[in-house]
Amino acid sequence: MNPSVLFVFILSALLGVLRAADLAFGTDAVTGLCLVGSVWWRYLALGIVVLAAVLVGRTQPSRSEAVRSRRPLAGVLAFAGAVCFLAAAGAQIALGTASGLGGFVRCILECVCSVWLSTMGRCWLSPDAWKKPFGGLYLAVAGSLLFYWNVLMRFMENSSSWHRVQPTAAVWQMLAVLVFLAALARALHIPQPDNGRTLCAAGLAAFALGLCWQLPQCFALLAGNGMGLAVMPDFFAGLGLCCVGGIGGVCAAACLNRQS
């Protein structure tokens, strides 16, 4: 594996470990406020990892055509993400939270995203020659709208301050994943010479924010609320975000691997 991307993976994993420790010992589970240390240390850690991801992705020779081939791990993650987003939509319907406009739109977009992820998963797992995912660029754009909507909902629903790290970081997570999915859509449907560097940088950032930062939050959600149905929409949506972040890591590694 490319040493630079390996360094970013290790740095991202370390960020996830530190985030898990912070949620367990340094953050109030009810309010989300930091109990130990300054809030700015959290943002500094996030900034360092994201900056490293972007620098590595933008400075290394990359091949975006590497994602237009059989990628079993990306395919498995895509199908897992599709199941998670579909389960999140189902949990909202079961709870009755999909009756309002925000919940209804979120459910619809989660189902569309699930269709798109399953379509990409089928292409990455297919043993035959590579074919563009069903639905083309239109389905790719529609599938990524979920994360754009989540950004809007974060701004409308969360009246938080900088001292509540999770709601603020959630906006950055959605934006990072949105940029990655846009770069992935271009790499799959509109091949261009500069796609590789953009896809690499966005994929590594999505891996750090979407998977490594989010996974501890999913476990903390269960630890604080148990397996109650009330937390299932956010839990499954969080796992879906982790899967998309994992796809970002796979795509970045593929683009930076000269042997792929």
Side-chain angles (χ1 to χ4, degrees):
M1 179 182 289
N2 185 295
S4 297
V5 73
L6 180 60
F7 168 73
V8 174
F9 282 152
I10 294 173
L11 201 61
S12 299
L14 179 60
L15 175 69
V17 172
L18 292 176
R19 179 57 178 164
D22 182 37
L23 288 171
F25 306 109
T27 300
D28 182 75
V30 177
T31 64
L33 295 174
C34 300
L35 301 177
V36 179
S38 171
V39 67
W40 301 111
W41 288 111
R42 278 81 170 177
Y43 292 122
L44 179 62
L46 267 174
I48 289 174
V49 175
V50 173
L51 180 62
V54 172
L55 288 178
V56 167
R58 296 298 301 178
T59 57
Q60 298 295 317
S62 309
R63 302 167 53 250
S64 63
E65 61 269 19
V67 300
R68 298 192 296 274
S69 61
R70 178 176 167 80
R71 297 286 165 189
L73 180 55
V76 171
L77 288 171
F79 274 117
V83 171
C84 288
F85 284 123
L86 200 59
Q92 288 180 81
I93 294 173
L95 286 171
T97 57
S99 56
L101 177 61
F104 176 74
V105 173
R106 176 182 166 182
C107 278
I108 295 298
L109 293 180
E110 282 173 337
C111 292
V112 175
C113 185
S114 177
V115 172
W116 182 45
L117 287 174
S118 61
T119 299
M120 288 196 300
R122 180 181 59 82
C123 293
W124 277 324
L125 289 174
S126 175
D128 302 325
W130 170 261
K131 295 180 180 179
K132 289 183 179 181
F134 171 80
L137 191 59
Y138 296 103
L139 183 58
V141 172
S144 60
L145 283 177
L146 168 65
F147 304 97
Y148 177 74
W149 178 256
N150 284 342
V151 170
L152 295 180
M153 294 302 293
R154 290 291 181 183
F155 281 117
M156 289 188 289
E157 294 178 354
N158 290 321
S159 55
S160 63
S161 69
W162 287 94
H163 295 282
R164 294 184 65 217
V165 178
Q166 181 55 33
T168 304
V171 176
W172 301 355
Q173 288 176 287
M174 298 301 169
L175 289 174
V177 169
L178 188 60
V179 172
F180 162 64
L181 292 179
L184 179 60
R186 288 196 303 271
L188 293 176
H189 301 285
I190 313 175
Q192 294 178 350
D194 61 339
N195 279 349
R197 295 178 188 271
T198 303
L199 179 59
C200 244
L204 291 174
F207 175 80
L209 289 172
L211 175 58
C212 297
W213 180 268
Q214 179 62 34
L215 192 59
Q217 184 68 26
C218 292
F219 288 117
L221 191 64
L222 286 185
N225 299 277
M227 292 296 292
L229 186 61
V231 302
M232 288 299 103
D234 290 334
F235 175 70
F236 283 121
L239 286 184
L241 183 64
C242 290
C243 292
V244 176
I247 295 172
V250 173
C251 291
C255 291
L256 290 170
N257 185 2
R258 296 183 181 181
Q259 302 301 321
S260 61

